Amino acid sequence: MSINAYGAHAGDRPLEPLQITRRAPGAHDVQIDIAFCGICHSDLHQVRGEWQGTQFPCVPGHEIVGRVAAVGAHVRDFALGDLVGVGCIVDSCKHCADCDDGLENYCAGMIGTYNFPTPDAPGWTLGGYSQQIVVHERYVLRIRHPEAQLAAVAPLLCAGITTYSPLRHWHAGPGKKVGVVGIGGLGHMGIKLAHAMGAHVVAFTTSESKREAARELGADDVVISRNAEELAAHARSFDLILNTVAAPHDLDALLALLKRDGSMVLVGAPATPHPSPNVFNLIMQRRTLAGSMIGGIPETQEMLDFCAAHGIVADIELVRAEQINAAYERMLKGEVKYRFVIDNATLGA
Ligand code: NAP
Ligand code: ZN
């Protein structure tokens, strides 16, 4: 089956219309008509070759929502027309300890939604900037939000789970002071989710224009992270800091804000390393510097259901396919509140 997609032929070339093929659904596969796909900063890192090993042509996109168009003979949990989502994972080994624990995201054989090896043409996975996708049923998520919210649900499939998982793992909740650094696609979801979990939330931003906006998302306080005085007011007070920043920056200034036994979790994945933190900033207060990658499939479903129950969706700006390159530039300038989502109907008939 040949379908329309949007992707790039090289890291220094813009994205453009492409034709790609999808496999016919196997016994355990779900074929999905993609309605919307979010634009994650990871898409930009990957398609521009900022991370190692991008295969071209590259079709990004791992914040996928749409409707079931066909199911394989053994699929029991999904039926034609169901509202579903696909996030960053389309396969894994299915038998290791990580898969058994529902942490497919940490399986050594995890297959990402784009740029991972597959028997399907062209030999690596192609993502959601496309009209359809075919995915093993294990990696398909059920969407319980009203259909009118579908476009704004798309970013939950990556930005939502990438912030939900560490917030849960490090016990964000009532009585906990949680910082969220970088108020972009991930960060704005981190604020909404930490607020809904009952934590006291402080947003850290480099953008003065987001000071009031972050409060509307649920932040109890907002700090301009380049202002040393504002930072100092929060010294040694945080249980958890979730750092979503997509560029290298000074981690010490943030580590100093953790209380004894506090943790800073890095989810931002800049193309070049952060300056090394001062080890004494960890030793002196028994602090932890950690990382976290998306989340497993059961936790992604839990996150979607939590968001449906709490009326949480992303704040989005819908774009047409031909606006993707311009959207990338605006994302780099922090000029989106807070996630671009592609209307996949604009990929053409
Ligand atoms: P985004 O929408 O571009 O947001 C990143 C935010 O970081 C910006 O809005 C900006 O917030 C802040 N920022 C950017 N440059 C900065 C700089 N030089 N110094 C300080 N702050 C800066 O990106 P995103 O989609 O949320 O993704 C964020 C990062 O997470 C990316 O590196 C992405 O690849 C990574 N990611 C990781 C995972 C994972 O599993 N760990 C999953 C998805 C994405 P302010 O304007 O508020 O300062
Ligand atoms: Zn992503």
Side-chain angles (χ1 to χ4, degrees), residues 18 27 47 62 64 69 90 127 139 141 153 167 186 261 267 289 324 332:
L18 300 173
V47 80
H62 56 206
I64 297 167
V90 290
Y139 310 93
L141 288 310
V153 169
L167 288 169
L186 266 57
D261 292 326
V267 292
L289 180 60
I324 293 172
L332 280 173

PDB file of all heavy atoms in Angstrom, residues 18 27 47 62 64 69 90 127 139 141 153 167 186 261 267 289 324 332:
ATOM      1  N   LEU A  18       6.551  12.894   0.311  1.00  0.00           N
ATOM      2  CA  LEU A  18       7.166  11.622  -0.091  1.00  0.00           C
ATOM      3  C   LEU A  18       6.053  10.591  -0.265  1.00  0.00           C
ATOM      4  O   LEU A  18       4.983  10.724   0.327  1.00  0.00           O
ATOM      5  CB  LEU A  18       8.086  11.074   1.004  1.00  0.00           C
ATOM      6  CG  LEU A  18       9.282  11.860   1.482  1.00  0.00           C
ATOM      7  CD1 LEU A  18       9.904  11.150   2.688  1.00  0.00           C
ATOM      8  CD2 LEU A  18      10.296  11.955   0.362  1.00  0.00           C
ATOM      9  N   ALA A  27      -1.548 -10.923  11.432  1.00  0.00           N
ATOM     10  CA  ALA A  27      -2.607 -11.429  12.333  1.00  0.00           C
ATOM     11  C   ALA A  27      -2.754 -10.573  13.591  1.00  0.00           C
ATOM     12  O   ALA A  27      -3.858 -10.423  14.112  1.00  0.00           O
ATOM     13  CB  ALA A  27      -2.309 -12.876  12.702  1.00  0.00           C
ATOM     14  N   VAL A  47      15.656  14.226  12.347  1.00  0.00           N
ATOM     15  CA  VAL A  47      15.587  14.448  10.904  1.00  0.00           C
ATOM     16  C   VAL A  47      16.705  15.371  10.431  1.00  0.00           C
ATOM     17  O   VAL A  47      17.106  15.321   9.269  1.00  0.00           O
ATOM     18  CB  VAL A  47      14.180  14.960  10.494  1.00  0.00           C
ATOM     19  CG1 VAL A  47      14.025  16.448  10.749  1.00  0.00           C
ATOM     20  CG2 VAL A  47      13.867  14.611   9.052  1.00  0.00           C
ATOM     21  N   HIS A  62       6.002  10.659  16.279  1.00  0.00           N
ATOM     22  CA  HIS A  62       5.656   9.576  17.209  1.00  0.00           C
ATOM     23  C   HIS A  62       4.625  10.049  18.232  1.00  0.00           C
ATOM     24  O   HIS A  62       4.606   9.581  19.357  1.00  0.00           O
ATOM     25  CB  HIS A  62       6.909   8.972  17.856  1.00  0.00           C
ATOM     26  CG  HIS A  62       7.796   9.951  18.575  1.00  0.00           C
ATOM     27  ND1 HIS A  62       9.138   9.747  18.748  1.00  0.00           N
ATOM     28  CD2 HIS A  62       7.522  11.127  19.179  1.00  0.00           C
ATOM     29  CE1 HIS A  62       9.657  10.753  19.435  1.00  0.00           C
ATOM     30  NE2 HIS A  62       8.690  11.597  19.710  1.00  0.00           N
ATOM     31  N   ILE A  64       1.015   9.989  17.541  1.00  0.00           N
ATOM     32  CA  ILE A  64       0.070   9.618  16.486  1.00  0.00           C
ATOM     33  C   ILE A  64      -1.308   9.311  17.075  1.00  0.00           C
ATOM     34  O   ILE A  64      -1.415   8.538  18.027  1.00  0.00           O
ATOM     35  CB  ILE A  64       0.608   8.357  15.761  1.00  0.00           C
ATOM     36  CG1 ILE A  64       1.953   8.672  15.073  1.00  0.00           C
ATOM     37  CG2 ILE A  64      -0.423   7.793  14.788  1.00  0.00           C
ATOM     38  CD1 ILE A  64       2.710   7.433  14.606  1.00  0.00           C
ATOM     39  N   ALA A  69      -8.439   1.294  10.918  1.00  0.00           N
ATOM     40  CA  ALA A  69      -8.950   1.091   9.560  1.00  0.00           C
ATOM     41  C   ALA A  69      -9.070  -0.390   9.218  1.00  0.00           C
ATOM     42  O   ALA A  69      -9.859  -0.777   8.353  1.00  0.00           O
ATOM     43  CB  ALA A  69      -8.036   1.775   8.547  1.00  0.00           C
ATOM     44  N   VAL A  90       6.974   0.893  18.503  1.00  0.00           N
ATOM     45  CA  VAL A  90       6.118   0.060  17.653  1.00  0.00           C
ATOM     46  C   VAL A  90       6.463  -1.424  17.751  1.00  0.00           C
ATOM     47  O   VAL A  90       5.759  -2.266  17.188  1.00  0.00           O
ATOM     48  CB  VAL A  90       6.147   0.502  16.170  1.00  0.00           C
ATOM     49  CG1 VAL A  90       5.443   1.844  16.006  1.00  0.00           C
ATOM     50  CG2 VAL A  90       7.562   0.543  15.613  1.00  0.00           C
ATOM     51  N   GLY A 127       7.696   7.229  10.509  1.00  0.00           N
ATOM     52  CA  GLY A 127       6.767   7.668  11.542  1.00  0.00           C
ATOM     53  C   GLY A 127       5.460   8.268  11.062  1.00  0.00           C
ATOM     54  O   GLY A 127       4.998   8.031   9.946  1.00  0.00           O
ATOM     55  N   TYR A 139       1.268  -2.400  20.959  1.00  0.00           N
ATOM     56  CA  TYR A 139       1.801  -1.035  21.053  1.00  0.00           C
ATOM     57  C   TYR A 139       0.763   0.022  20.663  1.00  0.00           C
ATOM     58  O   TYR A 139       1.100   1.185  20.454  1.00  0.00           O
ATOM     59  CB  TYR A 139       3.089  -0.930  20.201  1.00  0.00           C
ATOM     60  CG  TYR A 139       4.028  -2.061  20.555  1.00  0.00           C
ATOM     61  CD1 TYR A 139       4.002  -3.255  19.822  1.00  0.00           C
ATOM     62  CD2 TYR A 139       4.846  -1.973  21.676  1.00  0.00           C
ATOM     63  CE1 TYR A 139       4.805  -4.337  20.201  1.00  0.00           C
ATOM     64  CE2 TYR A 139       5.644  -3.052  22.051  1.00  0.00           C
ATOM     65  CZ  TYR A 139       5.616  -4.227  21.311  1.00  0.00           C
ATOM     66  OH  TYR A 139       6.391  -5.293  21.695  1.00  0.00           O
ATOM     67  N   LEU A 141      -2.570   2.177  21.674  1.00  0.00           N
ATOM     68  CA  LEU A 141      -3.210   2.695  22.881  1.00  0.00           C
ATOM     69  C   LEU A 141      -4.653   3.086  22.597  1.00  0.00           C
ATOM     70  O   LEU A 141      -4.962   3.553  21.491  1.00  0.00           O
ATOM     71  CB  LEU A 141      -2.451   3.943  23.381  1.00  0.00           C
ATOM     72  CG  LEU A 141      -1.080   3.796  24.031  1.00  0.00           C
ATOM     73  CD1 LEU A 141      -1.082   2.733  25.121  1.00  0.00           C
ATOM     74  CD2 LEU A 141       0.015   3.504  23.038  1.00  0.00           C
ATOM     75  N   VAL A 153      -4.917  15.529  21.963  1.00  0.00           N
ATOM     76  CA  VAL A 153      -4.489  14.308  22.662  1.00  0.00           C
ATOM     77  C   VAL A 153      -3.158  13.816  22.100  1.00  0.00           C
ATOM     78  O   VAL A 153      -2.349  13.217  22.804  1.00  0.00           O
ATOM     79  CB  VAL A 153      -5.577  13.204  22.541  1.00  0.00           C
ATOM     80  CG1 VAL A 153      -5.046  11.849  23.019  1.00  0.00           C
ATOM     81  CG2 VAL A 153      -6.819  13.597  23.334  1.00  0.00           C
ATOM     82  N   LEU A 167       7.426  11.628  36.822  1.00  0.00           N
ATOM     83  CA  LEU A 167       6.658  12.217  37.932  1.00  0.00           C
ATOM     84  C   LEU A 167       6.128  11.113  38.835  1.00  0.00           C
ATOM     85  O   LEU A 167       6.156  11.222  40.067  1.00  0.00           O
ATOM     86  CB  LEU A 167       5.507  13.086  37.400  1.00  0.00           C
ATOM     87  CG  LEU A 167       5.925  14.418  36.766  1.00  0.00           C
ATOM     88  CD1 LEU A 167       4.744  15.076  36.043  1.00  0.00           C
ATOM     89  CD2 LEU A 167       6.504  15.376  37.816  1.00  0.00           C
ATOM     90  N   LEU A 186       7.177  19.237  26.152  1.00  0.00           N
ATOM     91  CA  LEU A 186       7.249  18.357  27.326  1.00  0.00           C
ATOM     92  C   LEU A 186       6.928  19.135  28.596  1.00  0.00           C
ATOM     93  O   LEU A 186       6.133  18.697  29.428  1.00  0.00           O
ATOM     94  CB  LEU A 186       8.652  17.736  27.445  1.00  0.00           C
ATOM     95  CG  LEU A 186       8.855  16.356  26.810  1.00  0.00           C
ATOM     96  CD1 LEU A 186       8.523  16.339  25.336  1.00  0.00           C
ATOM     97  CD2 LEU A 186      10.280  15.855  27.046  1.00  0.00           C
ATOM     98  N   ASP A 261      18.475  14.711  49.524  1.00  0.00           N
ATOM     99  CA  ASP A 261      17.854  13.532  48.912  1.00  0.00           C
ATOM    100  C   ASP A 261      16.954  13.864  47.717  1.00  0.00           C
ATOM    101  O   ASP A 261      16.237  12.990  47.226  1.00  0.00           O
ATOM    102  CB  ASP A 261      17.049  12.708  49.935  1.00  0.00           C
ATOM    103  CG  ASP A 261      17.952  12.054  50.967  1.00  0.00           C
ATOM    104  OD1 ASP A 261      19.081  11.680  50.604  1.00  0.00           O
ATOM    105  OD2 ASP A 261      17.521  11.935  52.130  1.00  0.00           O
ATOM    106  N   VAL A 267      15.191  14.694  31.048  1.00  0.00           N
ATOM    107  CA  VAL A 267      14.507  14.054  29.912  1.00  0.00           C
ATOM    108  C   VAL A 267      14.876  14.750  28.601  1.00  0.00           C
ATOM    109  O   VAL A 267      14.786  14.134  27.546  1.00  0.00           O
ATOM    110  CB  VAL A 267      12.963  13.974  30.089  1.00  0.00           C
ATOM    111  CG1 VAL A 267      12.603  13.009  31.206  1.00  0.00           C
ATOM    112  CG2 VAL A 267      12.354  15.331  30.331  1.00  0.00           C
ATOM    113  N   LEU A 289      21.178  12.743  40.336  1.00  0.00           N
ATOM    114  CA  LEU A 289      20.976  13.240  38.969  1.00  0.00           C
ATOM    115  C   LEU A 289      20.617  12.016  38.134  1.00  0.00           C
ATOM    116  O   LEU A 289      21.396  11.064  38.067  1.00  0.00           O
ATOM    117  CB  LEU A 289      22.250  13.905  38.455  1.00  0.00           C
ATOM    118  CG  LEU A 289      22.200  14.478  37.040  1.00  0.00           C
ATOM    119  CD1 LEU A 289      21.127  15.562  36.918  1.00  0.00           C
ATOM    120  CD2 LEU A 289      23.565  15.068  36.652  1.00  0.00           C
ATOM    121  N   ILE A 324       5.309  22.410   8.100  1.00  0.00           N
ATOM    122  CA  ILE A 324       6.156  21.690   9.066  1.00  0.00           C
ATOM    123  C   ILE A 324       7.532  22.349   9.209  1.00  0.00           C
ATOM    124  O   ILE A 324       8.031  22.553  10.323  1.00  0.00           O
ATOM    125  CB  ILE A 324       6.312  20.203   8.664  1.00  0.00           C
ATOM    126  CG1 ILE A 324       4.963  19.476   8.804  1.00  0.00           C
ATOM    127  CG2 ILE A 324       7.374  19.519   9.522  1.00  0.00           C
ATOM    128  CD1 ILE A 324       4.950  18.056   8.250  1.00  0.00           C
ATOM    129  N   LEU A 332      12.210  26.045  17.530  1.00  0.00           N
ATOM    130  CA  LEU A 332      13.574  26.365  17.990  1.00  0.00           C
ATOM    131  C   LEU A 332      13.626  27.709  18.694  1.00  0.00           C
ATOM    132  O   LEU A 332      14.423  27.920  19.602  1.00  0.00           O
ATOM    133  CB  LEU A 332      14.540  26.367  16.799  1.00  0.00           C
ATOM    134  CG  LEU A 332      15.027  25.000  16.336  1.00  0.00           C
ATOM    135  CD1 LEU A 332      15.837  25.137  15.055  1.00  0.00           C
ATOM    136  CD2 LEU A 332      15.856  24.319  17.426  1.00  0.00           C
TER     137      LEU A 332
END
